[in-house]
Amino acid sequence: MALCVSGLAWALSGCGEVWNDPYPAAERGQNILYTAFTDRPKHLDPVQSYSENEITFTAQIYQAPLQYHYLKRPFELIPATAEAIPVPRFYDAAGRELPANAPAADIAESVYEIRIRPGIRYQPHPALARDEAGHYLYHEGGPGERRTLYDFERTGTRELEADDYAYQIRRLAHPALHSPVFGLMSDYIVGLKEYGDTLKAAAKSLPPGQWLDLRQYDLPGVEVVDRHTYRIRLKGKYPQFLYWLTMPFFAPVPWEADRFHSQPGMAERNLTLDWYPIGTGPYMLSQNDPNARMVLTRNPHFSGETYPCEGEPGDREAGLLADCGKPLPLTDQVVFMREKEQIPYWNKFLQGYYDASGISSDSFDQAVQFGQSGEVSLSDDMKAQGIDLQTSVSTSTMYMGFNMADPLVGGLGERGRKLRQAIGIALDQEEFISIFLNGRGLPAQSPLPPGIFGHRDGRDGVNGYMYDWVDGQPQRKSIDVAKKLLAEAGWPDGRDAKTGEPLVINLDTTGTGLGSKARIDWLTKQFDRLGVQLVVRSTDYNRFQDKIRKGAAQLFFWGWNADYPDPENFLFLLYGPQSKVKAQGENASNYENAEFDRLFERMKAMENGPERQAVLDRMLDILRHDAPWVWGFHPKSYGLEHSWVHNRKPSNVANNTMKYTRVDPALRDAKRAEWNRPVRWPLFAFAALLLALVWPAWRHWKRSEQARAVEGQA
Amino acid sequence: MIAYIVRRLLYALPILIGVNLITFVLFFVVNSPDDMARMQLGAKRVTPEAIEKWKAERGYDRPLVWNAEAPGLAKATDTILFDKSVRMFAFDFGRADDGRDIALEIRSRMGPSLAIALPTFLLGLFVTVSFALLLVFFRHTALDVGGVVLCVVAMSISGLFYIIGGQYLVSKVWNLVPISGYAPGLDAARFLILPVLISVIGGIGSSARWYRTLFLEEINKDYVRTARAKGLSELRVLFRHVLKNAMIPILTGVVVVIPMLFMGSLLLESFFGIPGLGSYTIDAINAQDFAVVRSMVFIGSVLYIVGLLLTDISYTLVDPRVRLN
């Protein structure tokens, strides 16, 4: 064992003055941003990647034509690879061009013409490698003995062309790829659905494994005008389309990459576009081990983008404009380490091995404290380490949905409506947020979170059916009001006024475990205040989803993260034709209100302005009156960062933000050394303990070996 | 012996078929192919057409076990069960639901799993056997009683406590090793020290008590008395005679574990960020990836059968009276 201790000391002595550094010694002092990921990304192909853990990578690698301004709020679209924000041209059914202010009903087609900046180049990639004669080096012959993309000896690059954007839009319809937005985009992009059918038939006629060249088939909705210009034709008017142009779904993919990866033997070695992205963005994936470590390295061909010089008020004072005009990205590498458990992640952040971290419930009390008036600040330990706290309200909404198709809690009649309103008042969201979320939430007054057009602050934004405005702030209506509403709904004291039967409401949930039990107990108590019996039907996620799809649930928890910062992306969750039961859409409550649906269709096609605000006000009023949801909360996100991290600004919509972050590696190294000095005495104490155990054993053995069978003889 | 081995391998076939069948039934009782498709396609904007397409591509659009519409033998063969299970007997695991090659993934993850499991196994065996022999050496003394109490205390503590406590004390407070992570090659050593140490310490309690009981049973036998009467030292008695004769029950528990070392450790790998097969299995269960789950269960079954066979063979090595017929 003493040998083991020596071995331990030897193994660690190679780590320099810090023994617990999880990174290679060669990375010390480098301009690297360290972060973590929990779930391995399933898809890195931009046609498929959609979830947060995927887009975190793809958004840094691929460049869509547009992006969000990093600092300005409300969110503002700016060009990325495009030269300017495209202004749509509108046409009627006869093909005549209409003025920009033409009524949406008259518009049969919108055309977006996008011109990209010349001179943008792809990252080095073997799919683009050519010999002197211009022939592609690796489009024939398969991978050979090569195991990874990095084993290919030569790489190449070429200029980004409009054709690459058109090619990616074609890929949305590829029969072997499953783009989550294909269904939605088929409704808008002219001919995309038919193009999908054509590709499906073409794929069937090809021998298995043969490359399907998408350029061979015509897609009328996408036209390449010249080398740097392309047009997208949409059915009708769809102003939200510009937001889609910020996402990797509309990023460029060179046809060569598809050709390269389609060779026999490639997929067997995971040499696919889903595993090895190819982009024009600030970073490229240089290490791809999603089980342990993924590394983004500066794309040597990326240029032309600089740090913004203007933001919103307060940004200058916060130091967010200090890097104005500097070329992006500001770090050479981003290292993502896989951390499946929160405890090691948190401890490594405190040791300085991660540059930033969220705050889990387990570590909340260690990180954050509340002042007497409820203001949030960092704990003294965090302040002593120079850690900064950033808070923001997410562009998300969490709610408890009523199934409007249910005969008891659903329907637009007075009985169901008053019952829902009563429950909405009784479920005290302020208390829920305080108990279960450590205050990290904002009680919702409607589906629209702050920062989304249509949301109103102050008195104008209060849900008058749930709150009163008292002393300059909203105050939840009393339980007596809820009881009165319940009685008016025909359930005085929670019993049927006619039969005396108790009112029983079923909650379907996926929650199990200790935390869920506490939440369910709290909910049951809230319903008890109304005299209503709550029956909790816990089930697994699949069964739960199944119940929602079939409309078999009565009350359920649900939530939505915005795809883009537009009210349409929240209110479509209550649009009748999106009903889960009828159309397998995203309206899980199956809410249908003819006036709301009419207004939604109108609002959707409107530009932001007073007229749209008025329509939104009316829509929100309808929702508050009908109460298809218990208006839950908008989560607040709390983030921590070390003193050597600069320029981080919370953004729940933009994903390509890593290029703006700057780190001070010298300060980081100094702090790491200061915080992680090895404590050596336990090693010596351990060795001494072993000796203390062995010594009496040895003495005992020696004594017994030398002892005589009978004392006093010889 | 060869005939015995061949016979045992043939017995393994129905066992593997049975295991396969049970995995299939258990998995599809909880999940349907639709659920699997939804899990892969994500929660947002999934259309029924996309689900059908996903299922058709992966062969999940067929009946589970019986295809009444198919002709002849295809009634049984044109099913999910047949298609997904038979290929595994040729160790062709196919692709995970996210499209990645399972065999490739298993090969790349086997190394990290072994890197943690093998030293844990060897060091653990050495430490627990030595500790048990030490207790036997001091039998009926205060040290023996204290040791047994320590074992009971150690085995009463949750494995998770050892992990979290060990990470906090050794890595966070004393800053001696990294909390979690992994690196290939020799650099892996500094990431493996703590999990191996924790595994060994966490396993001492139950194993040492068990081995102590075995050794105590042997130490009162006549041949031990004879050995002592010959004048052999107590150490020689313990290591040459007692240990050798207590080997059969020890081997029963130990050899069967050796092939299973490839399968990795679910909890340790997760907390220490070791990219091994244990975490692969957990990820697959969470992602409802039937292709991976059935492959891992199949490999686990094969390794377990191999382990049992090795155990039988090892008996003949330590006890010449045992014959494999």
Side-chain angles (χ1 to χ4, degrees), chain A residues 64-82:
Chain A
L66 307 181
Q67 61 184 336
Y68 294 99
H69 193 286
Y70 182 52
L71 299 176
K72 288 185 181 173
R73 302 289 182 274
F75 292 99
E76 183 183 313
L77 285 176
I78 57 170
T81 59

Side-chain angles (χ1 to χ4, degrees), chain A residues 8 21 40 42 175 178 267 270 275 291 339-341 348 351 542-543 549 561 563 586 679, chain B residues 30-31 35 38-39 44-45 57 95 100-101 105 109 171 174 176 180 190 193 270 283 288:
Chain A
L8 179 73
D21 189 342
R40 50 184 265 161
K42 284 182 196 160
H178 300 276
N270 290 340
W275 192 257
N291 305 320
E339 290 291 352
K340 292 171 80 173
E341 302 294 336
K348 279 162 91 171
Q351 290 177 325
N542 292 334
R543 299 286 80 72
R549 277 194 301 277
N561 291 321
D563 292 310
E586 300 291 348
V679 181
Chain B
V30 181
N31 303 294
D35 298 330
R38 281 196 186 88
M39 188 59 93
K44 284 167 113 177
R45 303 184 189 279
E57 260 177 25
R95 301 194 153 268
R100 280 151 197 178
D101 191 75
E105 195 84 14
R109 284 169 174 267
S171 300
W174 295 337
L176 292 176
S180 66
R190 62 199 185 96
I193 290 169
S270 196
D283 286 350
Q288 297 178 14

Side-chain angles (χ1 to χ4, degrees), chain A residues 64-129:
Chain A
L66 307 181
Q67 61 184 336
Y68 294 99
H69 193 286
Y70 182 52
L71 299 176
K72 288 185 181 173
R73 302 289 182 274
F75 292 99
E76 183 183 313
L77 285 176
I78 57 170
T81 59
E83 284 195 334
I85 301 290
V87 179
R89 292 200 310 269
F90 302 118
Y91 298 88
D92 66 11
R96 287 185 298 254
E97 186 161 355
L98 298 170
N101 60 354
D106 296 346
I107 297 171
E109 206 170 273
S110 312
V111 177
Y112 290 79
E113 184 170 295
I114 301 157
R115 181 162 173 78
I116 54 170
R117 281 184 286 120
I120 297 170
R121 300 188 77 76
Y122 280 100
Q123 65 176 81
H125 195 283
L128 302 177

Side-chain angles (χ1 to χ4, degrees), chain B residues 217-278:
Chain B
E217 207 171 296
E218 288 295 319
I219 209 155
N220 292 321
K221 289 189 175 168
D222 289 344
Y223 73 89
V224 177
R225 198 173 302 121
T226 309
R228 286 206 190 101
K230 278 198 319 185
L232 292 185
S233 72
E234 190 65 12
L235 278 185
R236 283 176 79 89
V237 169
L238 282 176
F239 281 96
R240 282 282 177 86
H241 296 274
V242 174
L243 179 59
K244 203 169 175 183
N245 282 286
M247 280 304 272
I248 286 206
I250 292 178
L251 286 175
T252 307
V254 168
V255 180
V256 76
V257 176
I258 294 172
M260 299 295 286
L261 295 178
F262 290 93
M263 298 296 287
S265 160
L266 306 184
L267 209 58
L268 271 182
E269 288 182 9
S270 196
F271 268 85
F272 285 97
I274 312 284
L277 286 173

Side-chain angles (χ1 to χ4, degrees), chain A residues 266 367 375 415 417 425 432 469 567 608 640:
Chain A
M266 287 283 194
E375 77 278 7
R415 192 176 157 93
R417 177 174 60 80
I425 292 171
F432 181 88
W469 187 257
N608 287 345
L640 300 174

Side-chain angles (χ1 to χ4, degrees), chain A residues 40 143-149 151 265-272 275-276 288-291, chain B residues 91-96 98-113 262 275-277 280 291-292 295-296 299:
Chain A
R40 50 184 265 161
E145 294 301 311
R146 300 173 188 95
R147 298 269 158 205
T148 72
L149 195 75
D151 295 334
M266 287 283 194
E268 286 73 13
R269 294 182 187 176
N270 290 340
L271 289 167
T272 64
W275 192 257
Y276 293 104
N288 186 2
D289 180 0
N291 305 320
Chain B
F91 289 92
D92 175 6
F93 302 117
R95 301 194 153 268
D98 62 6
R100 280 151 197 178
D101 191 75
I102 295 174
L104 196 67
E105 195 84 14
I106 290 173
R107 279 202 296 277
S108 67
R109 284 169 174 267
M110 209 175 261
S113 277
F262 290 93
L277 286 173
Y280 188 43
V292 177
S295 303
M296 294 309 295
I299 294 173

Side-chain angles (χ1 to χ4, degrees), chain A residues 591-648:
Chain A
Y591 172 67
E592 274 187 279
N593 179 308
E595 186 189 356
F596 179 86
D597 289 351
R598 248 192 337 272
L599 289 170
F600 175 82
E601 282 154 20
R602 203 175 138 209
M603 177 278 298
K604 193 175 127 182
M606 293 169 83
E607 305 293 334
N608 287 345
E611 197 187 348
R612 198 181 196 208
Q613 180 69 57
V615 173
L616 283 165
D617 287 344
R618 175 62 194 143
M619 290 175 76
L620 297 187
D621 198 42
I622 293 169
L623 292 179
R624 286 164 180 156
H625 174 264
D626 288 348
W629 295 355
V630 173
W631 311 105
F633 58 92
H634 308 300
K636 279 184 188 168
S637 96
Y638 282 30
L640 300 174
E641 63 191 33
H642 284 293
S643 53
W644 56 80
V645 182
H646 303 279
N647 298 341
R648 277 171 58 91

